[in-house]
Amino acid sequence: MKKILVPDIGDFKDVPVIEVLVAVGDTVKKDQSLISVESDKATMEVPSSAPGVVRAILVKLGDKVNTGDAIVEVEDTAVTAPSAVDASADKTEPAPGGPALATSSPAVVTAPVPTTAEVPPRVASDAGYLSGTLEHTLVKINASPSVRKLARELGAELDKVVGTGNAGRVTHEDVKRFIRSALAARPVKSAAPVAVGKGIDLLPWPNVDFSKYGSIERQALSRIKKISGANLHRNWVLIPHVTNHDEADVTDLEAFRVAHNARPVSRSEEGAKLTLLAFVIKACVDALRRFPTFNASLDGEELVLKKYFHIGFAADTPNGLVVPVVRDADQKGIVEIASECSRLAALAREGKLSPAEMQGGCFSVSSLGGIGGTNFTPIINAPEVAILGVCKTVMKPVWNGSEFTPRLMMPLSLSWDHRVIDGALAARFLTHLTTTLADMRRTLL
Ligand code: CAO
């Protein structure tokens, strides 16, 4: 029998138990959460330092615990389990400076086993940072006990769920959405047997000890980075991307924009600064209308064509990339689109976008125009089928048939899903976009 103790929880004292996550008779794995405790700064799940069967629960809801308090008694089943780790501090202490090896099976060699106090708590912090001994063990899971319970029941890994609540707090709806999208992303069973093709068979990731070559520092990825990274990776691997590049002559457009911003034409527009991004979104809507295949999603062997025009735009925030959506951009004027982008971008930076403000996009625009660069290959935001990258405008000599004239050129990069779109269609779409941006009056035709 092994008593599981509260590990070192740093400066926290008398933290109340807000959840008991196991019952007597449950079989628990090593590192499985046993209880949750919550201080005014953080929520922590205390994991089991050993596998086994829960024989007694020594705390109840509302009890206050401190480092070293016993919370659960576990009968250690490790010695009989085929691949188990002998984690019982009663039976096996790691030999100083070397691994603990003993199990009932001579064929099983175990890893060094930490003592109870060495098993770190999983910490969720509203503040995002905690000091002292916990700093290196932080897992930012900003969610209420009931949300964490729901996540456990549905099998959602909370640290992969994007929190859309206040300060990125994970809500019940976030967990359900995560599960829905995980189910939707499951490979559809094909009626016909797959005769050829292989899974991606890659070399293992290089395992390098960088500190051998110089001094290093490790930083945990932000929550948004972890989630967007997983999504981007899936999209990059599963979608056959092609990117076309072109340039739009925005000389007249920029002159109009600058003049408009200098002297608003009406009181209602005063204060709403026109941005190039707003014009690009409007031009994209026009192109999507003319080329409906771009305003679509692939669903098995069908294309879902959308009759609405919700346009997402990538927003760079201190915590990573998010994509707020301008809804019904076809029904909005450029001033309205500009002020909506500015409102959504501000909310994005504060981490206050609501789920609805990030859902339902048909097509995305990723603008690096305010920063620089000549071209890039944006990754499609599934289940959309195309994305437009915008780079910084540059004044260039352009041949007009008789002479070179200085023209302000905007580099555009259109990535598209080759399962849905062919190269010729993509070139037509991009040509339409550049022509429209060269003279936005075309959108009125
Ligand atoms: N060419 C030249 N200048 C441009 C430009 C372009 N294509 N686009 C914007 N600018 C200028 C703006 O006019 C503005 O200048 P002024 O202040 O003098 O008017 C300045 O650059 C800053 O613009 P901005 O980028 O802040 O504003 P925006 O409306 O163009 O973009 C937003 C808003 C949210 C798209 C932007 O802030 C942002 O987050 N961009 C990064 C998107 C991103 O990370 N994409 C990569 C995704 S893949 O990892």
Side-chain angles (χ1 to χ4, degrees), residues 109-177:
V109 177
T110 61
V113 178
T115 63
T116 306
E118 287 168 334
V119 177
R122 282 187 269 277
V123 180
S125 163
D126 284 349
Y129 276 98
L130 295 170
S131 58
T133 54
L134 297 181
E135 206 164 22
H136 65 290
T137 67
L138 283 181
V139 177
K140 295 179 198 168
I141 305 168
N142 185 0
S144 70
S146 65
V147 168
R148 282 181 286 118
K149 182 159 182 281
L150 178 70
R152 268 195 306 279
E153 282 168 5
L154 297 180
E157 288 174 68
L158 258 188
D159 62 335
K160 296 206 169 66
V161 180
V162 186
T164 57
N166 206 4
R169 199 163 175 82
V170 177
T171 64
H172 289 86
E173 194 42 47
D174 293 333
V175 173
K176 289 181 195 159
R177 192 175 332 103

Side-chain angles (χ1 to χ4, degrees), residues 254 257 273 275-277 313-317 321 341 345 349 366-371 376 390-393 410:
E254 183 60 353
R257 190 186 78 87
K273 180 182 153 192
T275 59
L276 278 172
L277 178 66
F313 65 96
D316 180 34
T317 79
L321 179 68
C341 287
R349 283 190 284 269
S366 176
S367 173
L368 295 174
I371 304 168
F376 68 114
V390 180
C391 279
K392 195 173 179 63
T393 54
M410 176 189 271

Side-chain angles (χ1 to χ4, degrees), residues 313-365:
F313 65 96
D316 180 34
T317 79
N319 289 320
L321 179 68
V322 291
V323 185
V325 174
V326 178
R327 306 192 93 71
D328 299 312
D330 57 317
Q331 294 163 36
K332 292 177 177 160
I334 287 162
V335 175
E336 196 177 352
I337 293 175
S339 64
E340 196 158 335
C341 287
S342 141
R343 180 184 69 82
L344 290 168
L347 285 176
R349 283 190 284 269
E350 292 160 22
K352 288 187 180 160
L353 283 172
S354 72
E357 285 164 327
M358 289 185 283
Q359 287 168 358
C362 305
F363 179 89
S364 297
V365 176

